[in-house]
Amino acid sequence: QDLQRLGAAPAYAFLLWASQVAQSQKWSEGDALSRLAALLTKWFFWRNLTDMPPTRELDPMFMELVGHLLKQIRSGEIKTLDGFVQQTSDWLLARAAPQEVCESRLKADVYLENYDATRFMLCKLEEAHQTRENKRDLWAHHANDRPVFTVEHILPKTENLGPGWVTMLEGDQKGTAAAIRERCAHQLGNLTLSGYNSKLGTMEFLKKRDRKNDQGDFIGYRNGLYLNADLASRDDWNEAAIAARTDKMLKEVKSILSLREDK
């Protein structure tokens, strides 16, 4: 499912081939596919975020990977499933975007760079903190096939901020609200998930935080989502808060989705 959400169709033929290899080598086919799918999920997330390598190179790249692994199997360099997965990981990592490019994309306007990768990243952060008691289907769709949970901007992305937002952002630095919004609105630290995006809109922060539906249930930032845990207890939202949340979320994203050991 994760690979499908990431548009990783170029890897499907490789996975089919890998399942045949596992069978012929008497390895656990389920274990092989599970480990490879987890690896490919991480790889495609960063590929989509950085657009490296470009889409046109993906199909021939995976054909080349099959040839590389087949040669190593036949020569006896790969004898175990661990070796097969490690060689696949090393080969893919050598063709992934450099660490500094990944870092810069994460710190940039991720919402504008790649909406789908940003939504995937937010869902993965939330899922990492779910238990069987608070599990929600973050990938559910309405009857019209629109996703229930969408990316919500805490500080609105609109150019015409309300007076409450202007006052909160500027403090004693008058006339800076527009520049702050332009710098921060699309950064990771200003984004969360919401099933009620249209109900929150451009409301002031405290109204978004405390928003309830007609039944009195919280649908704002006190709705129990892990992504909103820091927001639920805040009384303000400004550039410093966005920067701090961005740094925190960057570390979590890398711990969950990193391809490299030095997370």
Side-chain angles (χ1 to χ4, degrees), residues 195-207:
Y196 296 91
N197 218 322
S198 62
K199 302 290 186 183
L200 302 178
T202 60
M203 282 183 173
E204 294 176 14
F205 178 74
L206 294 180
K207 289 183 178 179

Side-chain angles (χ1 to χ4, degrees), residues 30 68 89 92 102 180 182 201 235:
H68 170 74
S89 177
L92 288 172
C102 295
I180 293 171
E182 190 170 340
D235 295 325

Side-chain angles (χ1 to χ4, degrees), residues 1-8 41 44-50 106 109-125 138-139 141 145-147 149-151 153 186 188 191-193 253 257:
Q1 287 182 325
D2 281 340
L3 290 173
Q4 185 179 31
R5 291 161 185 156
L6 289 166
T41 294
F44 268 94
F45 165 73
W46 294 106
R47 193 229 76 83
N48 291 357
L49 191 67
T50 61
L106 275 183
D109 293 339
V110 290
Y111 180 88
L112 295 179
E113 293 282 350
N114 192 313
Y115 174 86
D116 290 331
T118 299
R119 182 168 176 266
F120 182 87
M121 174 170 36
L122 292 170
C123 287
K124 283 294 153 190
L125 284 176
L138 302 172
W139 305 97
H141 282 70
D145 206 36
R146 293 176 63 86
F149 283 90
T150 55
V151 179
H153 288 73
H186 301 297
L188 184 57
L191 306 175
T192 185
L193 292 171
V253 168
L257 293 168

Side-chain angles (χ1 to χ4, degrees), residues 19-32:
S19 72
Q20 296 298 310
V21 171
Q23 290 177 36
S24 67
Q25 297 291 322
K26 302 297 190 290
W27 300 333
S28 168
E29 184 181 0
D31 190 25

